[in-house]
Amino acid sequence: MADLALQGHLEIPAWLAQQHEVKLLDFNQALNSKSHKERWKYTKAQPVLDLLKLEARAPHVTINGRAVTPATTGHGSIQSPLIANLADSPEAYLALCNQHLHSLDIACSDADSALIKIELEHTHSTQPLMIKIAENTTVELIERTSTENDLHQTLWIALGAGSRLVHSRNDFANGNRWRYLKVDIGQDAHYNLQNHSTGTSLHRQDIHLRCTGPGAHAQISSAGYIPKAKHLDQQVVVEHIAPNTSSQQIFHNIAQDKAKVTFNGRIHIHPHAPGTVAHLTNKNLGVGDSATINTKPELEIYTDDVICSHGATVGQLDEQQLFYCISRGLSPLAARQLLSQAFLQQCTLGVLAEEATNNFKKLNG
Amino acid sequence: MTLLEVKDLSVSVADNAILKGLNLVVNPGEVHAIMGPNGSGKSTLANVLAGKPDYQVTSGSIWLNDSNIEDLEPHERAHAGIFLAFQYPVEVPGVSNMEFLKASLDCLAKARDEPQPNAGAFLKRVRKIAQTLDLNPEFLKRGVNEGFSGGEKKRNEILQLLLLEPQLAVLDETDSGLDIDALQVVAQGVNSYRNENNGVVLITHYQRLLEYIVPDYVHVLADGKIVQSGDKGLAQELEKKGYAWLT
Amino acid sequence: MSHSVNELVGRNADYAAGFVTHTEAETLAPGLDESVVRFISAKKNEPAWLTQWRLQSFEYWQSMQAPKWAHVQFPPLKFDDISYYSAPKSQADGPKSLDEVDPELLRTYEKLGIPLHEQEALAGVVNAKPNVAIDVVFDSVSITTTFKAKLAEAGVIFCPISEAVHSHGDLIKRYLGSVVPQRDNFYAALNSAVFSDGSFVYIPKGVRCPMELSTYFRINERNTGQFERTLIIADEGSHVSYLEGCTAPMRDENQLHAAVVELIAMDDAEIKYSTVQNWYPGDVNGKGGIYNFVTKRGICKHRAKISWTQVETGSAITWKYPSVVLRGDDSVGEFYSVALTNNLQQADTGTKMIHLGKNTKSTIISKGISTGRSQNTYRGLVRMSPTATNARNFTQCDSLLIGDSCGAHTFPYIENGNSTSIVEHEASTSKVSDDQLFACQQRGIDPEKAVSMIVNGFCKDVFRELPMEFAVEAGKLLEVSLEGAVG
């Protein structure tokens, strides 16, 4: 456990460096902070930072089937509380600073009390998108990535009091990825992420959820299949800032021969957040030889009235289950495929589940 | 001298009024059964007698041996002689039953300025009681209620009752979840505890237990008050007619 | 900058020529440079290779930086304000009688039931008989002699490492720094340069050590704690259980303790190492207290087993990761830990299990209790190397919080480099439940006793690994350390 060194550097845009409230120094501090170094412990930063240089365009958005153009602003909105904390992710912050910001305000009108469905189709690197969901609004967000091109993408979501968001995203295309997601969950709001993906030569997912209002609830189910010699790095932070908030996370990943999978899941319970309930499970299956699986489930807790747990396992398919299947006539290969599929199926949920299942089956076969 | 006197007691839990002016007098040597439909406040009565935090006495008073006890901490009430057999006995992982019982006896002895029980005699006594309750002596080494079956937990409560010999036993649905054999064992335990100096408040949903522990009085609790009192015949009537006719 | 030995001694106000004649009072003036390292080595009459080894370590240390990754905060240490040689302690330094000792400390002694004359020794009262604790606990020198004879009969070597440098130089030369290299980390490098003394243990092939070895037994052990160095070698098929520490809090003026412990378990050998650490934790406002920055590591050869058990309740800051390198096939590593922090204490402790051999197994059970305004961190690493086929680890890591101003943190690193090993990690955090507290109180047990009973129960899985007499004392110790935890 020697001191960690962050490889790579970020280029800070000149206009930002000149702004007195965001000093160069702050960036250096953020980049050298303990938590930031930890986030880059197992994946080299520079290739990911290089991705950031790819030209980004406006995201494709449809709402209830109609194409919409989000409002566009310049650099000014980095003062938004949703994105104000530089130390959380300096690189996401910079992506924001280097690009135009697109924002969507979603509110259900009285006439339109039905579910609002937002679809995002990623075909290229996108400029940052911020979605603000008004109070008591229920939204379904569907994200698909269909391109084999390399891409980076940042998404910022703020959930108003009493709102509901079910967020499903599938990413099964080849290509390098850096995907950043930050969600602020307001009072009594519920956020549910259904995340299905495959490993590529470089695939990094940063997910940062913050329960900022009392009674907020966060839920994540995530399934990943990392094929031979591919990569997936998931960095997840769930912060409990307000009292009586809860979170439930489950991540299942399968790593093939020479694949590398990294999972870092931190539950952070602030002082003055009593009544928090938070659970995290990360299970990893290594199939084939010499997969590298690094997992670090973390708890950081500053108040006593909490119920918290995390569990992580690294292992193989259960021999007894395999034998049971084989004794019922399945070939060893078929038994393995069946059980691997079942392992991922436990975390494959929501509207994109069927599509995800088919993709996992192909990868498994 | 009355053993227990509850005067016009009103109790709230999280600002919900549960008991609304309840009166009850228990004299030494008596067994009082408290019956009533779900949600009538039976368990609240049991918990408030034992001083469970979060139960707010909004008016009225509780007297034990003519002393007021509302301001006493739970352990001080135990020292004064109140025993609660829990509806859901709590697990205390890692603390063995033996350790727990010894700590309890020692604290009670200390509070009453009595000599601490001799370890050998204590052990002998616990084993003997365990035997009468059909509990394997091995269970004494296990953690308090840790991994016990429902029946074992309830029998463990009765073991503590017999060991600690309190003045007032409040049994909160001790019969729930017991099969007929276990019910008889528990009832025998309670009957062997009874004498002319102590009292029992028996909280139950069903009349079944009262066939084995015969009460002197039966009270029906509904909506936070005692709405009917009688002898054991009342319980049989309730068994036939249900609670609806009373409320 | 360098000083001659004479100059250095001249800096010692108390005793000009003290070291030459081996009188009792020698304290080196504060500050660290090459000459200090040479002085310490010369003082101990060390062979040239060891002097060189120390100097090399010192050079490494100068180029290293104190680690910053731990979840602890303290102002930077001023290494030039520390005196690096002070054994035995000057008589004039200590309190003259128990009247001058912190009354809180004395109250704790009373609670632990420590006899008066032993209290004096622990508190460092000047005119207390040296080693009274040993005499009281094990009743006089005759027992010391008896156990020495018994150990000699079995061929066990158990002596101060400074003595072993002379009597068993070959073993020391071969194994010193073989598990914790000189530049392993900042504090280990410092220790390698200036270590004062410590224990050396060698258990010959096939020997089961006839008794638990304890630092209690050792003569002249007082005041060597600051940079202690321990080396234990269990030769093939041997077995030893070693106890370190004391359940009474020690008055100590040293702020920094940077010890190194190295364990070597040869094929089929087994070492069990138990620690109860109760150094001065500082007062309720976090004033004073020991910084306990310790490096402990063992190496297992084929089918060997190393088991660490620790109960950590003392020190202002604890930075400690007793680890096992499972080099041999079928070897076993274990780590059982209870860490309790109160007031403003900070603990960052855990273990590293490095699996290299096939079919290696490790178990980690960690129980952290935090109360007051303290911060308690478990930090662990389980590494399954590509060569560690069919290796297994199980980790259980529980935290208990008492009061809403403390922190409990869990940072487990799991690194798996092969597809046949299995790692299971579980962690939970909770508080002492209101229901448990009420259930105990209902049976007449007062809240303070109830909490200490519940906490003891929470730690049971670890206490059960301690030698019997330690386990009982550890329970009492928790009770004392928890004082003030229940409002």
Side-chain angles (χ1 to χ4, degrees):
Chain A
M1 278 178 270
D3 271 339
L4 309 160
L6 176 68
Q7 301 108 339
H9 65 281
L10 291 170
E11 280 170 35
I12 295 151
W15 71 267
L16 185 64
Q18 282 157 12
Q19 271 200 4
H20 64 93
E21 62 268 45
V22 187
K23 297 235 172 66
L24 217 56
L25 186 69
D26 300 335
F27 266 100
N28 286 332
Q29 270 173 4
L31 289 172
N32 287 306
S33 70
K34 273 192 263 193
S35 62
H36 191 255
K37 285 172 177 175
E38 284 290 324
R39 294 176 53 233
W40 293 100
K41 188 172 162 67
Y42 297 111
T43 297
K44 278 186 185 146
Q46 195 55 52
V48 176
L49 300 181
D50 288 343
L51 263 183
L52 276 177
K53 293 176 187 156
L54 292 174
E55 192 210 341
R57 283 174 274 157
H60 293 304
V61 186
T62 63
I63 297 180
N64 293 339
R66 285 195 308 268
V68 293
T69 311
T72 307
T73 51
H75 309 125
S77 13
I78 56 168
Q79 307 305 341
S80 157
L82 182 60
I83 47 188
N85 197 351
L86 177 63
D88 289 344
S89 174
E91 44 302 276
Y93 198 80
L94 266 192
L96 202 67
C97 295
N98 281 322
Q99 314 279 349
H100 288 291
L101 171 71
H102 301 266
S103 54
L104 275 181
D105 287 318
I106 308 289
C108 72
S109 61
D110 293 338
D112 176 30
S113 60
L115 182 79
I116 298 170
K117 185 167 160 186
I118 307 175
E119 285 178 88
L120 289 173
E121 180 81 35
H122 300 295
T123 54
H124 49 73
S125 293
T126 56
Q127 292 159 345
L129 176 63
M130 184 186 293
I131 302 177
K132 287 185 179 161
I133 294 172
E135 55 188 44
N136 301 318
T137 301
T138 300
V139 175
E140 184 177 80
L141 172 62
I142 296 169
E143 261 194 290
R144 285 192 187 82
T145 308
S146 47
T147 180
E148 300 222 332
N149 296 333
D150 296 351
L151 66 81
H152 64 78
Q153 185 232 339
T154 66
L155 179 58
W156 318 70
I157 300 173
L159 293 183
S163 62
R164 298 274 183 284
L165 174 61
V166 179
H167 181 183
S168 303
R169 60 181 207 183
N170 278 7
D171 188 349
F172 287 95
N174 246 317
N176 295 342
R177 300 280 183 265
W178 178 64
R179 308 189 64 169
Y180 178 84
L181 168 67
K182 184 165 179 189
V183 186
D184 275 12
I185 307 164
Q187 183 169 351
D188 297 318
H190 284 208
Y191 173 74
N192 183 355
L193 175 65
Q194 297 154 343
N195 188 47
H196 316 112
S197 38
T198 178
T200 66
S201 51
L202 178 66
H203 192 156
R204 165 87 170 204
Q205 299 177 344
D206 288 68
I207 298 170
H208 188 171
L209 311 184
R210 308 196 317 155
C211 295
T212 54
H217 176 72
Q219 195 160 336
I220 303 177
S221 52
S222 174
Y225 192 100
I226 302 87
K228 198 166 176 173
K230 299 294 189 194
H231 170 268
L232 177 68
D233 181 346
Q234 296 175 312
Q235 300 285 323
V236 186
V237 178
V238 175
E239 283 186 82
H240 293 267
I241 297 164
N244 302 313
T245 54
S246 56
S247 64
Q248 178 86 45
Q249 305 174 62
I250 177 164
F251 290 80
H252 282 193
N253 287 321
I254 294 182
Q256 263 274 17
D257 280 12
K258 297 181 184 62
K260 183 173 176 184
V261 56
T262 298
F263 175 82
N264 184 0
R266 182 157 65 94
I267 295 171
H268 183 153
I269 300 173
H270 291 251
H272 319 301
T276 298
V277 178
H279 300 290
L280 163 70
T281 305
N282 169 235
K283 291 187 178 177
N284 300 281
L285 279 187
V287 296
D289 292 329
S290 66
T292 300
I293 298 167
N294 299 320
T295 171
K296 181 153 71 87
E298 299 174 66
L299 295 171
E300 207 173 326
I301 296 169
Y302 296 93
T303 189
D304 68 335
D305 186 14
V306 299
I307 300 171
C308 257
S309 71
H310 70 216
T313 61
V314 178
Q316 297 80 46
L317 290 172
D318 186 280
E319 289 297 333
Q320 291 195 12
Q321 289 177 0
L322 276 174
F323 179 73
Y324 186 77
C325 294
I326 292 165
S327 74
R328 292 295 177 270
L330 275 78
S331 72
L333 180 67
R336 283 180 180 281
Q337 284 168 347
L338 182 77
L339 291 176
S340 300
Q341 191 66 29
F343 176 76
L344 294 176
Q345 220 54 48
Q346 291 167 40
C347 302
T348 307
L349 301 169
V351 287
L352 295 181
E354 195 182 331
E355 196 180 300
T357 300
N358 291 336
N359 276 293
F360 285 136
K361 274 187 180 151
K362 266 185 243 159
L363 291 160
N364 238 327
Chain B
M1 194 159 81
T2 55
L3 177 56
L4 173 74
E5 186 166 9
V6 178
K7 287 185 191 166
D8 197 29
L9 185 70
S10 295
V11 174
S12 293
V13 180
D15 291 335
N16 296 317
I18 310 284
L19 296 184
K20 301 163 185 170
L22 183 138
N23 288 289
L24 180 68
V25 176
V26 178
N27 290 301
E30 293 176 354
V31 173
H32 290 244
I34 311 275
M35 302 184 70
N38 286 328
S40 57
K42 300 192 300 290
S43 283
T44 298
L45 175 62
N47 284 319
V48 84
L49 289 177
K52 190 168 187 185
D54 308 332
Y55 287 75
Q56 197 76 37
V57 174
T58 50
S59 68
S61 55
I62 308 168
W63 303 78
L64 189 74
N65 292 320
D66 298 334
S67 300
N68 192 293
I69 62 163
E70 291 127 51
D71 291 337
L72 295 186
E73 292 278 308
H75 60 288
E76 293 165 336
R77 296 189 196 204
H79 299 162
I82 292 185
F83 177 94
L84 171 63
F86 287 71
Q87 184 181 5
Y88 304 107
V90 178
E91 296 189 9
V92 192
V95 177
S96 78
N97 269 298
M98 205 52 129
E99 234 175 302
F100 183 74
L101 295 173
K102 186 79 170 57
S104 174
L105 271 180
D106 287 353
C107 285
L108 289 169
K110 198 175 153 202
R112 294 166 186 164
D113 271 334
E114 291 164 7
Q116 298 219 334
N118 158 294
F122 158 75
L123 197 63
K124 232 169 139 180
R125 210 169 134 231
V126 176
R127 290 219 175 105
K128 202 172 156 204
I129 297 170
Q131 208 177 7
T132 64
L133 292 169
D134 215 4
L135 279 164
N136 185 334
E138 276 301 302
F139 107 105
L140 292 166
K141 294 179 191 160
R142 285 159 57 189
V144 176
N145 293 319
E146 210 182 346
F148 285 24
S149 71
E152 277 177 320
K153 284 183 182 172
K154 293 296 173 74
R155 278 184 278 173
N156 191 24
E157 294 294 287
I158 301 304
L159 177 136
Q160 294 177 14
L161 171 71
L162 294 177
L163 183 73
L164 304 179
E165 297 179 313
Q167 257 206 299
L168 177 71
V170 181
L171 311 181
D172 188 5
E173 304 220 9
T174 299
D175 52 336
S176 67
L178 292 183
D179 63 30
I180 193 71
D181 292 337
L183 188 73
Q184 287 186 18
V185 169
V186 164
Q188 275 163 19
V190 175
N191 286 330
S192 72
Y193 157 77
R194 289 174 70 170
N195 64 35
E196 67 274 20
N197 297 318
N198 62 28
V200 178
V201 174
L202 197 63
I203 289 169
T204 181
H205 192 70
Y206 301 105
Q207 186 263 346
R208 192 175 64 152
L209 180 66
L210 305 183
E211 287 172 16
Y212 302 97
I213 306 171
V214 181
D216 300 300
Y217 300 92
V218 174
H219 309 278
V220 178
L221 186 59
D223 194 27
K225 272 187 222 163
I226 287 178
V227 292
Q228 180 102 4
S229 296
D231 62 9
K232 61 180 177 180
L234 177 59
Q236 284 151 5
E237 205 175 338
L238 286 169
E239 182 74 2
K240 278 187 231 134
K241 298 192 191 166
Y243 291 109
W245 62 282
L246 282 168
T247 52
Chain C
M1 194 174 72
S2 90
H3 305 276
S4 75
V5 170
N6 279 331
E7 271 173 343
L8 281 164
V9 174
R11 292 202 303 211
N12 181 337
D14 274 3
Y15 238 91
F19 83 97
V20 185
T21 51
H22 289 264
T23 48
E24 295 213 332
E26 291 174 355
T27 299
L28 207 52
L32 182 55
D33 59 25
E34 203 183 300
S35 66
V36 170
V37 178
R38 284 186 190 278
F39 170 83
I40 295 168
S41 191
K43 176 69 191 72
K44 293 170 178 296
N45 256 325
E46 285 174 354
W49 73 262
L50 189 50
T51 311
Q52 279 313 310
W53 193 82
R54 284 178 182 271
L55 288 170
Q56 175 82 70
S57 307
F58 178 66
E59 208 180 303
Y60 291 143
W61 178 72
Q62 282 181 303
S63 67
M64 294 171 84
Q65 287 192 334
K68 295 194 189 78
W69 41 259
H71 197 88
V72 296
Q73 285 179 329
F74 58 96
L77 289 171
K78 294 184 179 134
F79 290 94
D80 276 336
D81 291 354
I82 297 172
S83 169
Y84 291 85
Y85 190 81
S86 63
K89 193 72 126 197
S90 161
Q91 290 273 318
D93 284 356
K96 302 285 177 290
S97 74
L98 283 179
D99 295 342
E100 291 179 26
V101 175
D102 181 2
E104 278 295 309
L105 196 63
L106 296 180
R107 219 165 50 79
T108 307
Y109 289 159
E110 261 161 46
K111 290 213 153 189
L112 287 167
I114 294 164
L116 201 65
H117 47 307
E118 198 179 335
Q119 292 184 21
E120 289 188 340
L122 289 165
V125 170
V126 169
N127 294 318
K129 271 199 298 173
N131 308 314
V132 181
I134 299 163
D135 292 344
V136 172
V137 177
F138 299 103
D139 198 21
S140 95
V141 181
S142 62
I143 285 190
T144 311
T145 321
T146 320
F147 96 78
K148 278 208 157 167
K150 214 167 158 189
L151 288 178
E153 201 177 299
V156 172
I157 304 165
F158 179 34
C159 66
I161 202 162
S162 58
E163 197 179 306
V165 167
H166 301 289
S167 57
H168 301 88
D170 47 337
L171 281 174
I172 302 288
K173 192 170 179 182
R174 184 157 168 205
Y175 289 108
L176 188 72
S178 68
V179 187
V180 179
Q182 288 152 286
R183 53 181 145 180
D184 185 79
N185 67 71
F186 183 78
Y187 299 111
L190 179 63
N191 175 288
S192 300
V194 300
F195 69 89
S196 32
D197 211 337
S199 304
F200 173 73
V201 176
Y202 173 79
I203 315 291
K205 277 185 194 171
V207 169
R208 199 179 170 88
C209 187
M211 63 185 66
E212 314 248 9
L213 297 183
S214 163
T215 47
Y216 281 148
F217 287 118
R218 227 183 41 233
I219 316 293
N220 293 333
E221 186 255 345
R222 181 68 34 82
N223 292 322
T224 56
Q226 191 172 12
F227 299 105
E228 195 165 356
R229 184 103 198 176
T230 296
L231 175 60
I232 299 177
I233 303 163
D235 213 331
E236 290 173 18
S238 69
H239 178 286
V240 63
S241 168
Y242 186 91
L243 315 180
E244 170 197 61
C246 175
T247 49
M250 301 275 270
R251 175 182 169 277
D252 195 301
E253 282 146 12
N254 296 318
Q255 175 90 345
L256 171 67
H257 282 238
V260 171
V261 176
E262 298 179 278
L263 310 183
I264 296 140
M266 305 291 199
D267 292 356
D268 302 296
E270 183 175 342
I271 301 175
K272 186 172 170 58
Y273 194 106
S274 311
T275 306
V276 173
Q277 186 267 111
N278 192 24
W279 296 109
Y280 184 51
D283 67 11
V284 285
N285 297 312
K287 191 166 166 284
I290 304 296
Y291 293 176
N292 192 29
F293 300 159
V294 183
T295 307
K296 295 184 166 182
R297 194 177 303 150
I299 281 189
C300 279
K301 303 290 176 68
H302 294 305
R303 299 169 301 278
K305 176 176 173 184
I306 288 178
S307 179
W308 298 101
T309 306
Q310 62 173 29
V311 178
E312 304 278 328
T313 63
S315 297
I317 301 177
T318 300
W319 179 98
K320 184 183 170 190
Y321 316 92
S323 305
V324 186
V325 180
L326 297 154
R327 174 161 296 159
D329 296 346
D330 303 291
S331 57
V332 176
E334 292 174 344
F335 176 74
Y336 301 98
S337 170
V338 166
L340 185 152
T341 52
N342 197 350
N343 299 321
L344 282 165
Q345 282 178 276
Q346 306 175 65
D348 193 299
T349 184
T351 184
K352 290 189 269 186
M353 292 291 173
I354 311 294
H355 291 253
L356 300 170
K358 298 183 183 70
N359 311 315
T360 46
K361 282 195 184 72
S362 63
T363 303
I364 299 170
I365 309 283
S366 164
K367 306 280 178 177
I369 302 116
S370 24
T371 182
R373 287 172 288 161
S374 68
Q375 300 294 330
N376 198 328
T377 300
Y378 168 81
R379 185 183 302 275
L381 168 66
V382 174
R383 179 180 290 150
M384 300 297 185
S385 309
T387 51
T389 48
N390 297 309
R392 296 208 60 151
N393 163 268
F394 174 76
T395 302
Q396 173 83 46
C397 196
D398 298 318
S399 305
L400 194 65
L401 294 136
I402 306 170
D404 63 359
S405 308
C406 52
H409 318 295
T410 313
F411 302 123
Y413 296 75
I414 299 164
E415 300 178 355
N416 193 317
N418 74 69
S419 300
T420 54
S421 56
I422 297 176
V423 182
E424 287 172 86
H425 172 97
E426 290 169 15
S428 75
T429 303
S430 54
K431 64 172 187 170
V432 172
S433 90
D434 293 341
D435 283 348
Q436 287 178 340
L437 206 53
F438 176 63
C440 292
Q441 277 187 274
Q442 213 304 303
R443 294 301 181 259
I445 302 166
D446 65 74
E448 195 153 309
K449 171 82 185 151
V451 165
S452 92
M453 210 165 72
I454 291 166
V455 170
N456 260 298
F458 173 75
C459 301
K460 185 113 326 166
D461 291 345
V462 174
F463 285 172
R464 130 168 67 228
E465 298 297 325
L466 285 170
M468 196 56 176
E469 65 274 23
F470 252 33
V472 176
E473 291 184 48
K476 263 200 238 168
L477 184 58
L478 280 194
E479 200 164 316
V480 170
S481 305
L482 276 168
E483 252 189 45
V486 189

